Amino acid sequence: AQGDADAQYTVGTAYSNGSGLTQNAAEAAQWYRLAADQGLAVAQVNLGIAYADGRGVAQNEAEAVRW
């Protein structure tokens, strides 16, 4: 999935939902971050929500707003 934002987002979603993988919010956030850094809007939204809610990352309002 390296370099493929759509694939990275898909892996993040699988970790977030526990679809085929053990549910893991921290892993989901890491994969969303990889895709978000490449400009994938839906990954940026999900990463922002993760920061807002403290799901898989430390709750951080500034990072939530950034994404």
Side-chain angles (χ1 to χ4, degrees):
Q2 183 175 353
D4 185 334
D6 289 319
Q8 292 164 339
Y9 172 75
T10 299
V11 173
T13 300
Y15 273 115
S16 180
N17 297 333
S19 303
L21 298 168
T22 301
Q23 193 169 22
N24 185 322
E27 281 289 331
Q30 289 177 3
W31 285 99
Y32 287 152
R33 179 62 180 255
L34 290 171
D37 283 340
Q38 294 181 72
L40 188 65
V42 68
Q44 293 170 339
V45 168
N46 284 1
L47 185 58
I49 291 168
Y51 275 112
D53 294 345
R55 271 191 267 144
V57 291
Q59 193 169 20
N60 184 322
E61 187 175 327
E63 281 294 305
V65 170
R66 175 175 177 247
W67 291 106

